[in-house]
Amino acid sequence: VQLQASGGGLVQAGGSRRLSCAASGSIFSINVMGWYRQAPGSQRELVSTITSGGSTNYADSVKGRFTISRDNAKNTVYLQMNSLKPEDAAVYYCNLQHRVTPYSRVYDHWGQGTLVTVSS
């Protein structure tokens, strides 16, 4: 399974950015897709997740500013980031939890990360 993340870059504070992450490979079903981030000197933290049924979860720090969505047909998850703040700057990683058969265990995969820089 491969995860290809894109959309990172430099954005001014208050601006917007949209991240995408496409999953490919041996995927029977996807349980959860999500985004995590890691700033220099900090631990990786949850940003947002979305289940196969569309239920979403957000870190308090991004609620009301970020929106997660997914295209099940494309096995792709998106993160629309609005009103970006300097503290949002980090490497953003997408995460995939999936099954390879109807009865397999749930596998966990990480993308390579995409850097978001926010200038003040």
Side-chain angles (χ1 to χ4, degrees), residues 8-93:
L10 175 65
V11 61
Q12 287 189 331
S16 298
R17 201 79 183 179
R18 189 192 195 209
L19 305 182
S20 300
C21 178
S24 61
S26 182
I27 299 170
F28 172 76
S29 64
I30 294 176
N31 288 17
V32 182
M33 297 188 81
W35 291 95
Y36 293 72
R37 67 187 181 187
Q38 187 169 18
S42 299
Q43 292 186 334
R44 190 173 298 187
E45 63 177 5
L46 168 73
V47 177
S48 182
T49 60
I50 185 167
T51 69
S52 59
S55 295
T56 59
N57 180 47
Y58 295 94
D60 288 342
S61 59
V62 307
K63 283 181 181 177
R65 300 188 298 121
F66 290 11
T67 302
I68 192 169
S69 61
R70 60 190 281 179
D71 184 332
N72 290 331
K74 297 181 179 180
N75 287 342
T76 298
V77 64
Y78 305 96
L79 185 69
Q80 178 66 43
M81 305 184 294
N82 298 329
S83 303
L84 281 161
K85 304 176 181 180
E87 52 263 42
D88 294 318
V91 177
Y92 283 71
Y93 297 91

